[in-house]
Amino acid sequence: MMITGVLMRALQMSTPLLLGSLAEIFVEYTGVMNMAIEGIFLMGAWGGFVGAYLTKSLFWGLVLAMVAGVVIGAVYAFITVKLKQHQIVTGVALNILSGGISVYLYRVLFGVPIIPLTVESLRRIPIPVLCKIPVIGQALFNQNILTYLALILMPVGYWVLFRTRLGLIVRSTGANPEAVDAAGINVERTQTLAVLASSAINGLAGAFYSIGFLGMFSDDIIGGRGWIAFAICFLGNWNPMGALVGGLVFGLAESLAVLLQTSGIRLVPNELLIAMPYVLTIIATIARKQFNVPAFLGVPYVKERS
Amino acid sequence: MSNVKETAVELRGISKYFSGTVANDKIDLEVKRGEVLALLGENGAGKTTLMRILYGMYRADEGEILIDGKPVTINSPYDAMNLGIGMIHQHFTLVPVHTVVENVMLGLDGPYDPGAVAEEIRTLGRRYGLEVDPYATVRLLPVGMQQRVEILKALIRKACILIMDEPTAVLTPQETDRLFDFVREFRSGGNSVVFITHKLNEVMNIADRITVLRAGRTVGSIPKVEASESALARMMVGRDLELTTGQPAKNVGEVVLDVDNIGVISSRGHRVIDGLSFQIRQGEILGIAGVSGNGQEELAEVLCGLRNAEEGDIRVSGKSIVNCAPLAIIAEGVGYIPSDRQSEGLVLDMTVAENLMLKGSSDPEFTKGRFLDMAAIEENASRQVHEFDIKTPSVSTRTKALSGGNQQKVVVAREIAIASKLLVAVQPTRGLDLGATDYVHRVLLRERDKGKAVLLISTELSEIMNLSDRIGVIYRGSLLRVFTRENADIGEIGLLMTGIRGESNE
Ligand SMILES: Nc1ncnc2c1ncn2[C@@H]1O[C@H](COP(=O)(O)OP(=O)(O)O)[C@@H](O)[C@H]1O
Ligand SMILES: [Mg+2]
């Protein structure tokens, strides 16, 4: 029973990390880092809550989460892809901006409520038969729609990247944008679309924190988890299957930490457990022989010097 | 050959402006079916720009393009490819980390079927003598093979007008011959080729007709049968140019540079230099020929302290300098002209005067106590600008405003001042026009005659043959053989460059 609980929570905790890291893998293959990821997570959480609260429909919450993510993503794409400005600087600015805007818009809509406003969070959807499997049944097959989506998207993402024309274009753009240009494909358009798509997914990921889980919104709801998704992209060596493992490790660590905290067991300091995945990331990064980092990651594609 | 050929491509009044430069100025050009048109011009004449416009990578500011007599708009390479135009770029547009088949498939319409494309690559490869393993990773292929991949990309898209931008620059003489065979074979099928080059002998060898560009304009267009190398050179340069040829060294003195069995491992763990030894004496130029990427850059970097050797010793006038800091090596009188002047030789945002003293910031000549002596720096700069005939508005002009030739003169002037004993020159004329190239050649010969030792590393075989007193061939980090000037044979050197050893009678 305890194992089932830990696993179930681990999958929940990893859901947004999986979505976010997959989105980051795709966009980075086109040569653009989505450095606004933390802010987009936050806007997604905001959009999810506001949409759900105002329409009383979680569906519209998810839609508004994606829209909010895409809006930030569009600004990011315009500045970095079209105007060719520095990605890290732009990302930092947008993250700060999102932090302010989400809180501001929340207060404009709802004032400063004494008790936090809540909505009912996404319901679990038990898969018939499968959810009856002992131990793992409840953990794997009784989750909400976003968790299922994340688990399905990882292998689908892998397949798209490495087995389709689209994936080939995506992987080529960050490796040598000029080759893509010479092959008759519009580099800026590819990069822009990738940023927008990744932002939509990141919006969903952010919404998981507000309506997939807690049923409420606060300004510290993301708390750096966008950056964790960003790091998992590295950890997984730009491979969705690697990111799947990385995301699950982080989820498991967070889940164990919660368990230890609530049960009062003190084997190791809680903070150490939470820090473990970060330490792992650093070790994995140092130890790795071959990096699949796209050669032109972070370098704007300038066709005509003028 | 038939007498009247149909026109495949016509460019009318094409102009292209980049900020500050007119790259193409109302250029007219015609390519016929079944002909090889050589597009000849100095570096910077506008050849690449014009062809990138035809290929849809740049947009013309004025002018029109006609294919088979019909006006067309070409907005992207996609449009160009649909019109049967293919282009082999000077700097290959390949994705190094992908396989050959992935590179060929990029942007190809139709279902994603690597197996079928690989089969097509094999078939086309056999037909045109361009065999290459479809599943090889491009990064690991030699440049000659990478070029085949570029050509195959165009062929699989059914190109009938093939643009090749300086395709021989990276090839050995034998590979060049094979490329020419392909071009003739391709032409015989009624296809057209635009062959961009600035090498006159190639033009005379392969072209049916020649169009010459100079400073963004068409100078003229003549059939090969009416052309001669000297007439073409005059059209290209706009004046008579007598090219310097080196006279053999007269006063060869003591050994200056003694490289003794060095080995270098790259940061990736590959052995890039392996048991390399040679000596250079005062008053002599040693030329190192080889296909690029065979350890030339690494050799130069080890000599100048930019890279460590794992084994072996390097002595300058008897003093070991191996793995010393660059500053110590500079102090020994070793000058270094790097292959990439813009990223390694100069700080483009600094002034001409600053670049001319760049390596002397701790030299008492340029300092007063702990501070730079600005007056001395400017005086030095004025003297150098005068002596090397550097065309610049003033010594406080930013170096990036200078033309490529004058930028290179800044590097050359500075390094010659440093090189009291040894000058290491890597690709010293890359990207320069004929006038500037000749100037650099004369300077190298002059320094040699003053008794300095010169190491000339170049992939331009003609440059090596022209200037060197002895010629070594580097292949996979080893010197295969060192010829004296008299018994250097271009054919044999070409073979050695590909790693094929003849009878060794050193
Ligand atoms: N992408 C670009 N942006 C700005 N200027 C360019 C660009 N490409 C070429 N130029 C300039 O246009 C001129 C012609 O260059 P190019 O067509 O490359 O000559 P060529 O191929 O004959 O050596 C040069 O002065 C060059 O500096
Ligand atoms: Mg060119």
Side-chain angles (χ1 to χ4, degrees):
Chain A
M1 209 46 238
M2 197 176 77
I3 294 179
T4 309
V6 169
L7 283 182
M8 178 168 228
R9 186 171 274 270
L11 278 184
Q12 287 172 344
M13 292 301 192
S14 28
T15 297
L17 302 181
L18 294 178
L19 290 171
S21 59
L22 183 66
E24 193 62 33
I25 288 170
F26 265 77
V27 75
E28 289 198 2
Y29 266 121
T30 70
V32 186
M33 294 178 261
N34 194 342
M35 281 293 298
I37 186 168
E38 177 78 9
I40 294 174
F41 265 45
L42 187 60
M43 290 303 287
W46 174 88
F49 177 81
V50 170
Y53 189 86
L54 294 180
T55 64
K56 308 271 180 273
S57 148
L58 288 167
F59 172 78
W60 290 109
L62 294 179
V63 171
L64 187 60
M66 291 207 276
V67 170
V70 168
V71 168
I72 302 290
V75 176
Y76 185 74
F78 179 74
I79 297 175
T80 59
V81 177
K82 197 81 204 163
L83 303 182
K84 323 247 173 247
Q85 296 306 305
H86 201 284
Q87 294 176 9
I88 295 179
V89 174
T90 310
V92 168
L94 284 180
N95 288 330
I96 296 170
L97 184 74
S98 306
I101 275 194
S102 57
V103 174
Y104 171 73
L105 291 180
Y106 183 83
R107 293 199 181 151
V108 165
L109 287 169
F110 310 117
V112 187
I114 300 166
I115 354 166
L117 305 177
T118 54
V119 294
E120 197 197 339
S121 57
L122 286 171
R123 228 168 284 140
R124 292 170 184 279
I125 308 168
I127 312 262
V129 187
L130 290 176
C131 68
K132 299 284 194 307
I133 302 174
V135 188
I136 59 162
Q138 284 293 308
L140 270 175
F141 300 110
N142 188 14
Q143 295 281 10
N144 73 29
I145 181 84
L146 287 180
T147 305
Y148 291 136
L149 184 70
L151 290 175
I152 292 169
L153 277 185
M154 300 312 278
V156 169
Y158 178 88
W159 182 82
V160 169
L161 263 184
F162 296 102
R163 299 279 183 274
T164 68
R165 278 166 36 105
L166 176 69
L168 182 58
I169 293 172
V170 167
R171 285 185 295 128
S172 301
T173 308
N176 186 0
E178 208 178 12
V180 172
D181 193 2
I185 300 154
N186 189 325
V187 173
E188 286 188 2
R189 208 178 67 199
T190 307
Q191 292 179 329
T192 303
L193 289 176
V195 171
L196 295 182
S198 79
S199 302
I201 300 284
N202 286 334
L204 277 185
F208 185 88
Y209 291 106
S210 60
I211 59 175
F213 194 57
L214 295 169
M216 53 177 271
F217 174 81
S218 68
D219 57 354
D220 58 355
I221 193 166
I222 302 302
R225 291 198 190 79
W227 295 125
I228 298 182
F230 190 85
I232 291 173
C233 165
F234 276 70
L235 184 62
N237 207 7
W238 290 268
N239 183 330
M241 298 327 267
L244 178 60
V245 175
L248 291 176
V249 168
F250 271 90
L252 190 64
E254 236 185 298
S255 162
L256 280 175
V258 170
L259 174 81
L260 294 185
Q261 204 166 31
T262 50
S263 61
I265 308 170
R266 287 213 138 258
L267 287 176
V268 286
N270 210 18
E271 290 75 12
L272 186 69
L273 203 63
I274 295 189
M276 275 320 287
Y278 299 89
V279 176
L280 269 182
T281 304
I282 294 172
I283 292 174
T285 308
I286 298 169
R288 185 146 50 218
K289 287 250 162 49
Q290 197 205 341
F291 262 112
N292 290 336
V293 52
F296 284 78
L297 183 62
V299 185
Y301 180 54
V302 181
K303 211 164 155 174
E304 305 183 15
R305 289 170 277 121
S306 50
Chain B
M1 271 178 269
S2 61
N3 20 15
V4 187
K5 287 183 185 147
E6 295 161 45
T7 302
V9 180
E10 195 181 346
L11 302 180
R12 283 193 194 149
I14 299 280
S15 296
K16 176 74 189 174
Y17 310 99
F18 290 118
S19 64
T21 37
V22 187
N24 290 166
D25 187 5
K26 301 198 182 59
I27 293 186
D28 297 320
L29 183 104
E30 205 181 338
V31 189
K32 301 215 167 70
R33 288 243 169 266
E35 94 171 343
V36 177
L37 175 77
L39 191 55
L40 182 68
E42 294 242 67
N43 281 304
K47 310 178 293 288
T48 299
T49 303
L50 184 67
M51 286 301 117
R52 284 190 161 209
I53 288 171
L54 176 57
Y55 187 61
M57 280 185 88
Y58 293 158
R59 230 169 221 278
D61 293 312
E62 284 163 31
E64 56 176 347
I65 302 174
L66 292 86
I67 305 284
D68 296 329
K70 286 187 283 293
V72 292
T73 33
I74 301 178
N75 287 325
S76 89
Y78 186 80
D79 296 343
M81 287 184 284
N82 282 338
L83 290 164
I85 302 167
M87 180 159 178
I88 315 303
H89 296 266
Q90 185 173 6
H91 303 286
F92 300 152
T93 54
L94 296 170
V95 181
V97 292
H98 289 177
T99 60
V100 171
V101 65
E102 281 179 308
N103 268 285
V104 172
M105 289 182 81
L106 178 62
L108 209 58
D109 289 325
Y112 188 84
D113 187 353
V117 176
E119 201 40 55
E120 230 176 312
I121 290 172
R122 290 205 184 90
T123 315
L124 279 171
R126 274 193 297 272
R127 157 128 188 253
Y128 286 106
L130 301 169
E131 286 95 346
V132 51
D133 173 12
Y135 294 106
T137 302
V138 164
R139 180 166 54 85
L140 302 176
L141 292 175
V143 266
M145 281 288 170
Q146 295 189 6
Q147 186 174 67
R148 289 185 177 187
V149 180
E150 282 282 53
I151 298 174
L152 286 164
K153 268 165 65 178
L155 294 181
I156 220 160
R157 288 168 169 83
K158 312 235 170 342
C160 55
I161 300 154
L162 193 57
I163 305 162
M164 308 183 111
D165 195 350
E166 311 218 8
T168 59
V170 294
L171 301 182
T172 63
Q174 285 82 6
E175 285 173 321
T176 301
D177 286 342
R178 234 173 302 147
L179 179 73
F180 283 179
D181 288 343
F182 160 75
V183 169
R184 292 195 189 96
E185 162 79 24
F186 185 68
R187 174 187 62 185
S188 69
N191 301 304
S192 319
V193 176
V194 181
F195 196 95
I196 302 181
T197 183
H198 61 259
K199 294 182 188 166
L200 296 168
N201 56 342
E202 290 179 355
V203 171
M204 298 307 287
N205 190 337
I206 193 78
D208 299 316
R209 211 156 49 82
I210 302 136
T211 296
V212 182
L213 297 189
R214 186 188 339 132
R217 295 170 186 233
T218 322
V219 182
S221 197
I222 48 174
K224 207 266 297 286
V225 286
E226 293 168 22
S228 70
E229 285 201 25
S230 57
L232 290 174
R234 212 173 308 119
M235 285 169 82
M236 220 164 106
V237 186
R239 61 190 149 89
D240 285 312
L241 190 71
E242 214 168 295
L243 293 181
T244 314
T245 43
Q247 300 302 314
K250 287 186 281 283
N251 313 310
V252 177
E254 289 159 26
V255 173
V256 174
L257 177 67
D258 184 3
V259 175
D260 189 3
N261 207 17
I262 56 167
V264 175
I265 313 264
S266 76
S267 51
R268 285 207 180 147
H270 301 302
R271 183 164 272 273
V272 283
I273 291 187
D274 193 9
L276 196 88
S277 301
F278 62 85
Q279 294 183 332
I280 312 181
R281 291 171 177 272
Q282 288 176 331
E284 138 180 281
I285 298 181
L286 174 70
I288 304 257
V291 180
S292 73
N294 274 295
Q296 292 99 321
E297 305 264 317
E298 288 84 359
L299 171 61
E301 285 170 10
V302 169
L303 289 176
C304 302
L306 301 172
R307 194 183 267 277
N308 282 347
E310 309 294 318
E311 58 223 27
D313 197 8
I314 301 169
R315 285 175 293 268
V316 172
S317 299
K319 187 167 167 196
S320 174
I321 57 150
V322 72
N323 302 348
C324 285
L327 209 53
I329 295 176
I330 289 169
E332 286 304 312
V334 179
Y336 171 43
I337 303 176
S339 62
D340 187 340
R341 60 180 159 271
Q342 301 214 329
S343 70
E344 283 184 70
L346 297 166
V347 182
L348 290 177
D349 278 322
M350 296 201 334
T351 66
V352 172
E354 286 168 328
N355 272 293
L356 280 168
M357 74 92 204
L358 202 53
K359 292 184 175 175
S361 59
S362 55
D363 188 331
E365 188 190 343
F366 298 123
T367 50
K368 254 197 245 153
R370 298 202 152 268
F371 298 95
L372 289 174
D373 181 350
M374 295 320 272
I377 290 171
E378 284 197 12
E379 196 197 292
N380 168 66
S382 312
R383 204 177 54 238
Q384 300 274 48
V385 164
H386 180 74
E387 189 182 328
F388 286 84
D389 192 25
I390 300 169
K391 301 241 167 22
T392 172
S394 80
V395 296
S396 47
T397 304
R398 287 207 198 185
T399 314
K400 71 173 168 203
L402 271 54
S403 74
N406 284 296
Q407 288 178 354
Q408 186 70 338
K409 282 183 182 177
V410 173
V411 177
V412 169
R414 182 185 68 217
E415 297 304 324
I416 281 184
I418 293 172
S420 56
K421 292 180 193 152
L422 169 68
L423 183 64
V424 177
V426 187
Q427 305 279 20
T429 59
R430 177 185 281 177
L432 301 186
D433 62 32
L434 280 180
T437 298
D438 190 54
Y439 185 86
V440 171
H441 286 173
R442 266 186 291 144
V443 169
L444 291 181
L445 290 168
R446 190 186 72 203
E447 293 304 308
R448 175 199 72 180
D449 291 339
K450 283 188 196 161
K452 292 182 188 174
V454 179
L455 176 65
L456 171 65
I457 300 178
S458 175
T459 52
E460 290 276 350
L461 205 43
S462 58
E463 179 167 272
I464 294 273
M465 300 293 284
N466 195 354
L467 300 178
S468 312
D469 301 306
R470 286 186 301 133
I471 297 161
V473 182
I474 194 169
Y475 177 73
R476 300 228 170 124
S478 302
L479 268 194
L480 292 192
R481 209 173 139 192
V482 180
F483 297 85
T484 57
R485 186 192 188 93
E486 301 82 61
N487 52 28
D489 172 57
I490 197 156
E492 200 174 347
I493 290 177
L495 280 176
L496 285 169
M497 283 164 69
T498 59
I500 302 168
R501 283 166 198 263
E503 78 286 26
S504 45
N505 47 355
E506 171 71 4

